[in-house]
DNA sequence: TCTGAACTGATCATGATCGAACAATCCGAC
DNA sequence: GTCGGATTGTTCGATCATGATCAGTTCAGA
């Protein structure tokens, strides 16, 4: 079917019918996130007929909010001569944006940034990059070379010496820079860098507490140290374990980085074995996709979810697709993008007098089936409460 | 009177007929919580006819508080062409504000808050309190009792069990609460509390680095543990010492709390003696007033400032009054107030869907005479640079 | 250039929602 | 008690949102 779309944050895709206005908003979200949409895909996703979507597209096209193309729509393009002649086209700012991925997580951040930019008559120029400092820098440089950019939103790799060097370079750029989902570490005083990031440690803690409240007393954690957020997830999980008086040393804590897809099954088997040995009945799994794979594996092996193994995912990109649907921590991705644009535009217009802002946002916990009911065979379920 | 409707869950469907104003309030609550409502559902829930709800929706739509759609209403959407082009129609919120002092530091915070509130046509009701949790709570309670408050900005005492209890209480209030210059500690998951605070650790680090750059190689710190910011100042100072490879163990670190004014002179003499013994040529002094007194004392004792003792104050309230004028870290007090009002109004109008925001602002370093020129008798001044 | 597949827009049908007019009710003032 | 204004409920034709059908159009590959 469709390639790994980014399922919007509707929680239940076809569960509730939306009003037409909301549908058009969703459509614009999708458009801002990916730059284009197909009528077919959106119709399927929203559970309405293609005709309806086409009507929406027409409406938005009349208002000049989209450009119609055969089979779908794109963001308004200057090449589109049918575009309304209104010409409120006076963009005050151009903001460059470099993100490490255009498939996962970041489309929604971009969507939020674009939405906010629209309201502020700014333009966002997005470039996809990788989780690698050298490439990050190259992409930023490319933006600076080819475009007249007033500000920059970046989600760079900040690990290692290359990452620190990149931060120093960003800090020294002549235009304002806002980091998205990254923090400038204390030890390098990049005093000009502002940032907005989700408090992933809080999210992990929230998930852990939720599992505790459902009756689990041994809660493991599976992460992927390739991802910059993993460290925060582990930190939050450990912190929560401490608060709940769960001995961290005996808790399952596995890193899935560097496990090739071919070895995944045995990796999961090993983890399940560990869980059995340690009486672990619940896992917090960083990166949703990993969580989906893990739940799938559990089902394949006859391990009941959530009865024998409760799972909470992280990121909430695809968690709702699994069977059973997976509870997941949902970072406020749209808001991260919005806030980044707010910070950048405020900085551009107010100048250096404005103090450096550093914002943390708390994620939400979306509870679905995979974590409800507590450990089935456990005698102490629900006897306590936090 | 309406006949007893079908028994609804939880709410009070038939219990008591609401006044229209309450109904609309309820309607907005529902809207903020879910993003949209259907006329039918709300009518059933409130036990009134759909027409009534429709009339309410019309009214709210005229005020620009909702967007009308066929079958219900949504939060105001930029796609809503019928939206009144007038202005954001910022409602007149009443915001309570409880600060621990009305003479020092806080007047500027209040001033910033007032300025921001004026722009948003909101009203600020300020109450002075003390650095004591019990009194904080009393003042907040008084505000809640006597006024109709939509939101609360508080700078409470958060130390000890009383402080934690106060935070829990604030977190459970039915109206939004924003902490000013305070952070909710991680170990107590006050998940609803938002805050805006100056990054005092950053400020202390900046001051320490400044003194290093001026040539000082032993940098002490004088704080007042009565103040909630002192801990952060010490933390930032220690962090900077670490980064600069200055052994913290041998550095002068004095607490002026509990030193009565009568004993101040000998306290300062003791500190000066310590400095002489450890070759300390610079001090970071928390609380400006203390810094002024200290510089005065140095001058009285014939210790040259900055030649023999460089001083950087903290807070920048009265630092410029001293002779010589004292360099000081200046927290962005106005912005703290402004941002607190921004957070609270955004929270009131956007409801719980908006993620919890936690903002840190970086302070400035205002360099005056008291820290310039480096240690006079030092041989290694300016030989290094960071 | 041709051709099949995919896309598009016009038209109509259907069910739900909306608004205007009028009736019923409640509330406070005299 | 009763009067007037404000609020709410009822009815019914008008309006709107959506989907189905089908003929016309566009696209992409041969």
């Amino acid at each position: 079917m469709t390639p790994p779309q980014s399922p919007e944050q509707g929680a239940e895709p076809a569960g509730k019918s939306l009003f037409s206005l909301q549908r058009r908003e969703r459509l614009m979200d999708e458009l801002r996130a990916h730059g284009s949409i197909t009528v077919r895909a959106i119709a399927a996703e929203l559970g309405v007929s293609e005709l309806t979507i086409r009507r929406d597209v027409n409406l938005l096209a009349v208002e000049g909010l989209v450009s119609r193309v055969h089979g779908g729509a794109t963001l308004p393009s200057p090449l589109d001569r049918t575009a309304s002649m209104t010409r409120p086209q006076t963009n005050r700012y151009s903001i460059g944006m470099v993100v490490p991925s255009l498939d996962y997580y970041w489309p929604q951040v971009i969507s939020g940034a674009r939405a906010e930019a629209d309201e502020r008559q700014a333009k966002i120029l997005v470039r996809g990059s990788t989780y690698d400092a050298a490439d990050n820098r190259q992409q930023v440089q490319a933006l600076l070379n080819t475009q007249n950019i007033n500000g920059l939103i970046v989600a760079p790799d900040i690990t290692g010496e290359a990452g620190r060097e990149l931060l120093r370079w960003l800090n020294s750029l002549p235009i304002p820079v806002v980091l998205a989902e990254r923090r400038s570490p204390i030890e390098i005083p990049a005093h000009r860098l502002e940032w907005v990031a989700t408090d992933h440690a809080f999210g992990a803690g929230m998930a852990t507490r939720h599992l505790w409240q459902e009756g689990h007393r041994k809660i493991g954690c599976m992460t992927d140290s390739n991802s910059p957020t993993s460290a925060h997830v582990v930190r939050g999980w450990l912190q929560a374990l401490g608060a709940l008086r769960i001995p961290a040393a005996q808790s399952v804590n596995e890193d899935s980085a560097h496990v090739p897809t071919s070895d995944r099954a045995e990796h999961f088997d090993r983890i399940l074995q560990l869980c059995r040995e340690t009486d672990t009945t619940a896992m917090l799994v960083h990166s949703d996709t990993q969580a989906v794979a893990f739940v799938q594996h559990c089902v394949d092996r006859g391990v009941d979810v959530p009865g024998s193994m409760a799972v909470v995912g992280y990121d909430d990109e695809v968690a709702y697709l699994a069977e059973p649907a997976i509870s997941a921590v949902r970072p406020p991705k749209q808001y991260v993008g919005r806030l980044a644009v707010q910070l950048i535009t405020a900085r551009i217009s107010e100048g250096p007098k404005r103090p450096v802002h550093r914002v943390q946002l708390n994620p939400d916990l979306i509870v679905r089936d995979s974590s409800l009911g507590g450990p089935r065979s456990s005698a102490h379920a629900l006897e306590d409460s936090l």
Side-chain angles (χ1 to χ4, degrees), chain A residues 50-99:
Chain A
E50 300 186 9
L51 176 54
T52 302
I53 298 299
R54 236 173 264 129
R55 278 197 270 243
D56 288 337
V57 169
N58 286 347
L59 215 120
L60 293 169
V62 166
E63 303 196 24
L65 294 169
V66 308
S67 286
R68 299 190 45 195
V69 295
H70 201 84
T74 68
L75 288 173
S77 150
L79 302 179
D80 179 12
R81 58 194 62 216
T82 73
S84 57
M85 299 300 130
T86 48
R87 293 275 154 213
Q89 204 52 14
T90 51
N91 281 331
R92 298 191 301 162
Y93 305 126
S94 289
I95 300 169
M97 190 164 178
V98 176
V99 299

Coordinates of all heavy atoms in Angstrom, one line a residue, chain A residues 50-99:
Chain A
E50 N -12.8 10.0 -2.2 CA -11.9 10.9 -2.9 C -12.5 12.2 -3.4 O -11.9 13.2 -3.4 CB -11.2 10.1 -4.1 CG -10.5 8.9 -3.6 CD -9.8 8.2 -4.8 OE1 -9.7 8.8 -5.9 OE2 -9.3 7.1 -4.6
L51 N -13.8 12.0 -3.8 CA -14.5 13.2 -4.3 C -14.5 14.3 -3.2 O -14.2 15.5 -3.5 CB -15.9 12.8 -4.6 CG -16.8 14.0 -5.0 CD1 -16.2 14.8 -6.2 CD2 -18.2 13.5 -5.4
T52 N -14.7 13.9 -2.0 CA -14.7 14.9 -0.9 C -13.4 15.6 -0.8 O -13.3 16.8 -0.7 CB -15.1 14.2 0.4 OG1 -16.3 13.5 0.3 CG2 -15.1 15.2 1.6
I53 N -12.3 14.8 -0.8 CA -11.0 15.4 -0.8 C -10.8 16.4 -1.9 O -10.3 17.5 -1.7 CB -9.9 14.3 -0.8 CG1 -10.1 13.4 0.4 CG2 -8.5 14.9 -0.8 CD1 -9.9 14.1 1.8
R54 N -11.2 15.9 -3.1 CA -11.1 16.8 -4.2 C -11.8 18.1 -4.0 O -11.2 19.2 -4.4 CB -11.6 16.1 -5.5 CG -10.5 16.0 -6.6 CD -11.0 15.2 -7.7 NE -10.6 13.8 -7.6 CZ -11.3 12.7 -7.7 NH1 -12.6 12.9 -7.9 NH2 -10.8 11.5 -7.6
R55 N -12.9 18.0 -3.5 CA -13.7 19.3 -3.2 C -12.9 20.2 -2.2 O -12.8 21.4 -2.4 CB -15.1 19.0 -2.7 CG -16.0 18.6 -3.8 CD -17.5 18.7 -3.3 NE -17.9 17.5 -2.8 CZ -19.0 16.8 -3.3 NH1 -19.6 17.2 -4.3 NH2 -19.3 15.6 -2.7
D56 N -12.3 19.5 -1.2 CA -11.5 20.3 -0.3 C -10.4 21.0 -1.0 O -10.1 22.1 -0.7 CB -11.0 19.4 0.9 CG -12.1 18.9 1.8 OD1 -13.2 19.7 1.9 OD2 -12.0 17.9 2.4
V57 N -9.7 20.2 -1.8 CA -8.5 20.7 -2.5 C -9.0 21.9 -3.3 O -8.3 22.9 -3.3 CB -7.9 19.6 -3.3 CG1 -6.8 20.2 -4.3 CG2 -7.2 18.6 -2.5
N58 N -10.1 21.8 -4.0 CA -10.6 22.9 -4.8 C -10.7 24.1 -4.0 O -10.3 25.2 -4.3 CB -11.9 22.5 -5.5 CG -11.7 21.6 -6.7 OD1 -10.5 21.4 -7.1 ND2 -12.7 21.0 -7.1
L59 N -11.4 23.9 -2.9 CA -11.7 25.1 -2.0 C -10.4 25.7 -1.5 O -10.3 27.0 -1.6 CB -12.4 24.5 -0.8 CG -13.5 25.5 -0.2 CD1 -14.8 24.9 -0.3 CD2 -13.1 25.9 1.2
L60 N -9.4 24.9 -1.1 CA -8.2 25.5 -0.7 C -7.4 26.1 -1.8 O -6.7 27.1 -1.6 CB -7.3 24.4 0.0 CG -7.9 23.8 1.3 CD1 -7.1 22.5 1.7 CD2 -7.8 24.8 2.4
A61 N -7.6 25.6 -3.0 CA -6.9 26.1 -4.1 C -7.5 27.5 -4.5 O -6.7 28.5 -4.8 CB -7.0 25.2 -5.3
V62 N -8.8 27.6 -4.3 CA -9.4 29.0 -4.6 C -8.8 30.0 -3.7 O -8.6 31.2 -4.0 CB -10.9 28.9 -4.5 CG1 -11.5 30.2 -4.4 CG2 -11.5 28.1 -5.6
E63 N -8.6 29.6 -2.4 CA -8.0 30.5 -1.5 C -6.5 30.7 -1.6 O -5.9 31.5 -0.9 CB -8.4 30.1 -0.1 CG -9.8 29.9 0.2 CD -10.2 29.8 1.6 OE1 -9.4 30.3 2.4 OE2 -11.2 29.2 2.0
G64 N -6.0 30.0 -2.5 CA -4.5 30.1 -2.8 C -3.7 29.5 -1.8 O -2.5 29.7 -1.6
L65 N -4.3 28.5 -1.0 CA -3.5 27.9 0.0 C -2.7 26.6 -0.5 O -1.8 26.2 0.2 CB -4.4 27.5 1.2 CG -5.0 28.7 2.0 CD1 -6.1 28.2 2.9 CD2 -3.9 29.4 2.7
V66 N -3.2 26.1 -1.6 CA -2.5 25.0 -2.2 C -2.5 25.2 -3.7 O -3.2 26.0 -4.3 CB -3.2 23.6 -1.9 CG1 -3.5 23.5 -0.4 CG2 -4.5 23.6 -2.7
S67 N -1.7 24.4 -4.4 CA -1.7 24.4 -5.8 C -2.2 23.0 -6.2 O -1.7 22.0 -5.7 CB -0.3 24.6 -6.4 OG 0.1 25.9 -6.3
R68 N -3.1 23.0 -7.1 CA -3.7 21.7 -7.6 C -2.8 21.1 -8.6 O -2.2 21.8 -9.5 CB -5.1 21.9 -8.2 CG -6.1 22.5 -7.2 CD -7.4 22.5 -7.8 NE -7.6 21.2 -8.4 CZ -8.6 20.9 -9.3 NH1 -9.4 21.8 -9.7 NH2 -8.7 19.7 -9.8
V69 N -2.6 19.8 -8.5 CA -1.9 19.1 -9.5 C -2.7 17.8 -9.8 O -3.6 17.4 -9.0 CB -0.5 18.7 -9.1 CG1 0.4 19.9 -8.9 CG2 -0.5 17.8 -7.8
H70 N -2.4 17.2 -10.8 CA -3.1 16.0 -11.2 C -2.9 14.9 -10.1 O -1.7 14.6 -9.8 CB -2.6 15.5 -12.5 CG -3.6 14.6 -13.2 ND1 -4.6 15.1 -14.0 CD2 -3.8 13.2 -13.2 CE1 -5.4 14.1 -14.4 NE2 -4.9 12.9 -14.0
G71 N -3.9 14.5 -9.5 CA -3.8 13.4 -8.5 C -3.6 13.9 -7.1 O -3.6 13.1 -6.2
G72 N -3.5 15.2 -6.9 CA -3.3 15.7 -5.5 C -3.1 17.2 -5.5 O -3.8 17.9 -6.2
A73 N -2.2 17.6 -4.6 CA -2.0 19.0 -4.4 C -0.6 19.2 -3.8 O 0.0 18.3 -3.2 CB -3.1 19.6 -3.5
T74 N -0.1 20.4 -4.0 CA 1.2 20.7 -3.4 C 1.1 22.1 -2.7 O 0.1 22.7 -2.8 CB 2.3 20.9 -4.5 OG1 2.0 22.0 -5.3 CG2 2.4 19.6 -5.4
L75 N 2.1 22.4 -2.0 CA 2.1 23.7 -1.4 C 2.1 24.7 -2.6 O 2.6 24.4 -3.7 CB 3.4 23.9 -0.6 CG 3.5 23.2 0.7 CD1 4.8 23.3 1.3 CD2 2.4 23.7 1.6
P76 N 1.6 25.9 -2.3 CA 1.4 26.9 -3.4 C 2.7 27.2 -4.1 O 3.8 27.4 -3.4 CB 0.9 28.1 -2.7 CG 0.6 27.8 -1.3 CD 1.1 26.4 -1.0
S77 N 2.7 27.0 -5.4 CA 4.0 27.2 -6.1 C 3.8 28.5 -7.0 O 2.8 28.7 -7.6 CB 4.2 26.0 -7.0 OG 4.9 26.4 -8.1
P78 N 4.9 29.2 -7.1 CA 4.8 30.4 -8.0 C 4.6 30.0 -9.4 O 4.1 30.9 -10.2 CB 6.2 31.1 -7.8 CG 7.1 30.0 -7.1 CD 6.2 29.1 -6.4
L79 N 4.9 28.8 -9.8 CA 4.7 28.4 -11.2 C 3.2 28.2 -11.5 O 2.8 28.1 -12.6 CB 5.4 27.1 -11.4 CG 6.9 27.1 -11.2 CD1 7.5 25.7 -11.5 CD2 7.5 28.1 -12.1
D80 N 2.4 28.1 -10.4 CA 1.0 27.9 -10.6 C 0.3 29.2 -11.0 O 0.0 30.0 -10.2 CB 0.4 27.3 -9.3 CG -1.1 27.1 -9.4 OD1 -1.6 27.1 -10.6 OD2 -1.7 26.9 -8.4
R81 N 0.0 29.3 -12.3 CA -0.5 30.6 -12.8 C -2.0 30.7 -12.4 O -2.5 31.8 -12.5 CB -0.3 30.7 -14.3 CG -0.9 29.6 -15.1 CD -0.4 29.6 -16.5 NE 1.0 29.4 -16.5 CZ 1.9 30.0 -17.4 NH1 1.4 30.9 -18.3 NH2 3.2 29.7 -17.4
T82 N -2.6 29.6 -12.0 CA -4.0 29.8 -11.6 C -4.1 30.4 -10.2 O -5.2 30.6 -9.8 CB -4.7 28.4 -11.7 OG1 -4.3 27.7 -10.6 CG2 -4.4 27.7 -13.0
A83 N -3.0 30.5 -9.6 CA -3.0 31.0 -8.2 C -3.7 32.3 -8.1 O -3.6 33.1 -9.0 CB -1.6 31.1 -7.7
S84 N -4.4 32.5 -7.0 CA -5.1 33.7 -6.9 C -4.2 34.9 -7.0 O -3.0 34.9 -6.5 CB -5.8 33.7 -5.5 OG -4.9 33.6 -4.5
M85 N -4.6 36.0 -7.6 CA -3.8 37.1 -7.9 C -3.6 38.0 -6.6 O -3.1 39.1 -6.7 CB -4.4 37.9 -9.0 CG -4.4 37.1 -10.3 SD -2.8 36.5 -10.9 CE -3.2 34.8 -11.2
T86 N -4.2 37.5 -5.5 CA -4.2 38.4 -4.4 C -2.8 38.9 -4.0 O -2.6 40.0 -3.6 CB -4.8 37.7 -3.2 OG1 -4.2 36.4 -3.1 CG2 -6.3 37.5 -3.4
R87 N -1.8 38.0 -4.1 CA -0.5 38.5 -3.8 C -0.2 39.0 -2.4 O 0.3 40.2 -2.3 CB 0.0 39.5 -4.9 CG 0.1 38.9 -6.2 CD 1.5 38.3 -6.5 NE 1.3 37.3 -7.5 CZ 2.1 36.2 -7.5 NH1 2.9 36.0 -6.6 NH2 1.9 35.3 -8.5
P88 N -0.5 38.3 -1.4 CA -0.1 38.8 -0.1 C 1.3 38.2 0.1 O 1.7 37.9 1.2 CB -1.1 38.2 0.9 CG -1.5 36.9 0.2 CD -1.3 37.1 -1.3
Q89 N 2.0 38.2 -1.0 CA 3.2 37.3 -1.0 C 4.5 38.0 -0.4 O 5.6 37.7 -0.7 CB 3.5 37.0 -2.5 CG 4.3 35.8 -2.8 CD 3.8 34.5 -2.1 OE1 2.6 34.5 -1.6 NE2 4.6 33.5 -2.0
T90 N 4.2 38.9 0.5 CA 5.4 39.6 1.1 C 5.9 38.9 2.3 O 5.6 39.2 3.4 CB 4.9 41.1 1.5 OG1 3.8 40.9 2.3 CG2 4.6 41.9 0.3
N91 N 6.7 37.9 2.0 CA 7.3 37.2 3.1 C 8.3 38.1 3.8 O 9.2 38.6 3.2 CB 8.0 35.9 2.6 CG 7.0 34.8 2.4 OD1 6.0 34.7 3.0 ND2 7.3 34.0 1.4
R92 N 8.1 38.2 5.1 CA 9.0 39.1 5.9 C 10.3 38.4 6.1 O 11.4 39.0 6.1 CB 8.4 39.5 7.2 CG 7.1 40.3 6.9 CD 6.6 40.9 8.2 NE 6.4 39.9 9.2 CZ 6.3 40.1 10.5 NH1 6.5 41.4 11.0 NH2 6.1 39.2 11.4
Y93 N 10.3 37.1 6.4 CA 11.5 36.4 6.8 C 11.6 35.1 6.0 O 10.6 34.5 5.6 CB 11.5 36.0 8.3 CG 11.3 37.1 9.2 CD1 10.3 37.0 10.2 CD2 12.1 38.2 9.2 CE1 10.1 38.1 11.1 CE2 11.9 39.3 10.1 CZ 10.9 39.2 11.0 OH 10.7 40.2 11.9
S94 N 12.8 34.7 5.7 CA 13.1 33.4 5.2 C 13.8 32.6 6.3 O 14.9 33.1 6.8 CB 13.9 33.4 3.9 OG 13.2 33.9 2.9
I95 N 13.3 31.4 6.6 CA 13.9 30.7 7.7 C 14.4 29.3 7.1 O 13.5 28.6 6.5 CB 12.9 30.4 8.8 CG1 12.5 31.8 9.4 CG2 13.5 29.6 9.9 CD1 11.3 31.7 10.3
G96 N 15.6 29.0 7.3 CA 16.1 27.7 6.8 C 15.9 26.7 7.9 O 15.9 27.0 9.1
M97 N 15.7 25.5 7.5 CA 15.4 24.4 8.5 C 16.1 23.1 8.0 O 15.9 22.7 6.9 CB 13.9 24.2 8.6 CG 13.5 23.3 9.7 SD 11.7 23.5 10.0 CE 11.5 22.3 11.3
V98 N 17.0 22.6 8.9 CA 17.7 21.4 8.5 C 17.3 20.3 9.5 O 17.6 20.5 10.7 CB 19.2 21.6 8.5 CG1 19.9 20.3 8.2 CG2 19.6 22.6 7.4
V99 N 16.7 19.3 9.1 CA 16.3 18.2 10.0 C 16.9 16.9 9.5 O 17.3 16.7 8.4 CB 14.7 18.0 10.0 CG1 14.1 19.3 10.5 CG2 14.2 17.7 8.6

